[in-house]
Amino acid sequence: MATAHGNPSSEASGTKRPRRARARPGPVSSPAPEAAHDLELLRQMLLIRRFEERCVELYSSAAIRGFVHLYIGEEAVAVGVHQALSEQDAVVSTYREHGHALARGVSPDAVMAEMYGKTTGCSHGRGGSMHLFDAARRFYGGNAIVGGGLPLAAGLALADRMRGESRVTCCFFGDGAFAEGEFHETANLAALWGLPVLFVCENNLYAMGTALAREHAQTDLAMRAASYGMAAWAVDGMDVHAVEKAARGAAESVRAGNGPHFLEARTYRFRAHSMYDPDRYRSKDEIEEWKHRDPVAALSEGLRKAGHLDPAALESLEHEVTGVVDHAVRAAEQAPEEPAETLLRHVTGTGEETPS
């Protein structure tokens, strides 16, 4: 807020000016709906970014173990797509699913506790980073198998259609999964049976360490998906507005009974494939070039230029998000480990007959 300054010459002469009555603040106006929506998009993307950055620190200190695949750089895809989904829709994810889970509304506390392998985790500490799951939110998990979620998505969509439910099953997967037989089998059946599936391919240009052009003779994945007889198009995965618009159009069409749709979100991960990956298959210059299109920074700058986000508001938002992540870490550290005597729970049968 601009402040009025006194006249230096009058102060220097010792002349006192009459003090004005301080104006009482009027009612604080709420931002326009569009601005409020964009601020919420920014908050969600910032939460994912700061959560993932904390995971880097925790992994480096051995507080969390196992495989960890970070979503840094791809936040616009998860956040944009989830604007088009309802609570009744289903989401099937990949092993790079922290961002998907958080965008879906899975508690950061539950996600972090799962990273720690604690009983308060969303999968009770039995899944870890690659197997987040929340049935109450119809988030049917990450999957450590490349393309493993695709047939599951077809099954969920088929079940919804047989029950007469007006739902969408959104299936996230990477460009590496596009080369797997599961994608082609699932795409064929989904189109053949007209299943209500929204396929979202997060094309970050590298299937683990293999560049897209080294793996696919035709790198236009949307065009190839269209060959199965489904609506398919590409979208800038670094622009949350573009992703949201494309996802809303696709989800509405799927919900209207027009069969499966395919979105190729052209995005980029700023970190290596996993925390184990030395990331020697791409240049530092390439990574820095993509960072100029950082989706979080782009939305923040757009809001600033439009007058909807000043430095103080951004600092407040950062403080809020950091507090959420801090709380998740504290809760995970204090959560109990599963006792050894129950480790076989959900693994072996009890020997008792299941009630009919």
Side-chain angles (χ1 to χ4, degrees):
M1 180 181 294
T3 56
H5 297 278
N7 187 331
S9 60
S10 64
E11 292 176 2
S13 64
T15 304
K16 293 186 178 180
R17 310 181 79 178
R19 182 175 294 177
R20 294 182 179 181
R22 181 175 295 174
R24 295 184 178 181
V28 177
S29 59
S30 299
E34 297 82 2
H37 178 67
D38 282 357
L39 287 168
E40 176 58 20
L41 295 179
L42 179 60
R43 188 195 67 80
Q44 291 184 36
M45 289 200 293
L46 267 176
L47 174 60
I48 295 171
R49 178 68 59 88
R50 301 299 176 245
F51 187 97
E52 296 291 68
E53 289 172 345
R54 186 64 61 84
C55 286
V56 174
E57 297 174 10
L58 295 168
Y59 188 91
S60 299
S61 65
I64 57 178
R65 304 289 185 90
F67 286 94
V68 174
H69 304 81
L70 301 170
Y71 202 65
I72 295 174
E74 301 184 25
E75 296 89 350
V77 182
V79 173
V81 168
H82 274 86
Q83 306 312 303
L85 303 177
S86 73
E87 293 181 355
Q88 289 72 42
D89 295 332
V91 176
V92 179
S93 187
T94 71
Y95 48 74
R96 196 183 307 282
E97 90 276 35
H98 310 160
H100 302 152
L102 293 172
R104 184 61 178 170
V106 180
S107 163
D109 286 9
V111 177
M112 187 62 77
E114 190 61 37
M115 304 287 286
Y116 271 74
K118 299 296 187 70
T119 57
T120 54
C122 56
S123 298
H124 304 294
R126 291 170 171 266
S129 171
M130 293 191 286
H131 300 95
L132 305 178
F133 188 94
D134 191 329
R137 289 171 178 77
R138 300 204 80 206
F139 185 77
Y140 295 116
N143 199 309
I145 300 171
V146 176
L150 286 154
L152 302 180
L156 288 165
L158 178 60
D160 282 340
R161 196 185 68 178
M162 292 176 71
R163 293 184 180 124
E165 302 281 1
S166 179
R167 292 171 169 174
V168 173
T169 295
C170 177
C171 183
F172 291 96
F173 56 99
D175 51 289
F178 198 96
E180 297 288 328
E182 289 94 337
F183 169 73
H184 299 282
E185 294 163 354
T186 303
N188 179 62
L189 283 179
L192 183 64
W193 295 343
L195 299 181
V197 182
L198 172 56
F199 295 105
V200 179
C201 178
E202 296 181 300
N203 180 5
N204 60 30
L205 302 180
Y206 291 94
M208 190 171 180
T210 304
L212 185 72
R214 287 179 171 268
E215 184 181 13
H216 297 276
Q218 172 53 263
T219 58
D220 189 331
L221 304 185
M223 183 178 72
R224 291 174 61 192
S227 69
Y228 285 102
M230 69 177 81
W233 62 93
V235 62
D236 181 359
M238 307 301 277
D239 182 343
V240 69
H241 292 134
V243 174
E244 178 181 0
K245 181 179 179 181
R248 285 190 184 278
E252 288 171 8
S253 187
V254 171
R255 217 181 300 280
N258 295 321
H261 283 52
F262 178 98
L263 291 182
E264 178 192 349
R266 295 175 177 173
T267 184
Y268 197 82
R269 51 177 168 79
F270 296 162
R271 301 284 303 197
H273 171 72
S274 73
M275 291 296 292
Y276 279 108
D277 178 15
D279 203 8
R280 294 173 181 166
Y281 43 82
R282 55 184 186 170
S283 69
K284 292 182 179 179
D285 288 343
E286 177 184 305
I287 298 171
E288 290 304 314
E289 174 112 9
W290 275 91
K291 283 184 177 180
H292 291 161
R293 298 179 57 199
D294 185 330
V296 179
L299 181 57
S300 177
E301 180 64 10
L303 284 165
R304 185 193 67 77
K305 288 182 177 179
H308 300 308
L309 186 70
D310 59 26
L314 179 58
E315 183 180 356
S316 176
L317 186 58
E318 287 276 14
H319 181 74
E320 174 195 342
V321 166
T322 301
V324 171
V325 177
D326 287 345
H327 184 276
V329 174
R330 288 194 301 270
E333 290 174 345
Q334 296 167 9
E337 304 269 0
E338 182 162 11
E341 55 269 23
T342 62
L343 286 178
L344 293 182
R345 188 167 54 108
H346 308 311
V347 177
T348 62
T350 62
E352 300 176 1
E353 292 195 15
T354 304
S356 57

